[in-house]
Amino acid sequence: MKNAASFIAVLLFSAMSYAQNGPKIEFAAPDNTIDYGKISKTDNGLRTFEFTNTGDAPLLIIGAESTVSSIVVTKPSAAILPGKKGKIDVKYNMAAGPIRKTITVETNAVNYPDGRVALKIKGEVL
């Protein structure tokens, strides 16, 4: 019984180690959210999500888009090498009212299910 438990522990550890190989994306913004706060319509609406590839393989940003046309997203076109930083720019159109929007980023990162990361912006345009 003790040998079986040891075998299972080694098997799980090996599987976890294997699953963690590859590119990983870590965003600097807490909870992957940028808070615009209360801002004026004269603000340019541009904010930047900074990230680092904390994995051991090149990170690809395959797509980055919002479901609403009031947001323009600019993503890196080249691969981000391990240990290097990148950025995704988000420009909101500054329509008056509350801001509660999500941007979906498609990557080859192994630390998010299917490589999809949800980025959020929030705030209020006065």
Side-chain angles (χ1 to χ4, degrees), residues 3 6 29 51 65 78 81 85 115 122-123:
N3 287 341
S6 296
F51 63 88
E65 58 187 39
L81 297 176
K85 295 180 183 283
K122 65 181 184 176

Side-chain angles (χ1 to χ4, degrees), residues 35-56:
D35 188 349
Y36 280 66
K38 292 186 179 194
I39 55 174
S40 165
K41 288 180 81 168
T42 59
D43 187 295
N44 71 4
L46 182 64
R47 300 295 186 273
T48 300
F49 285 93
E50 295 179 354
F51 63 88
T52 304
N53 178 359
T54 60
D56 59 6

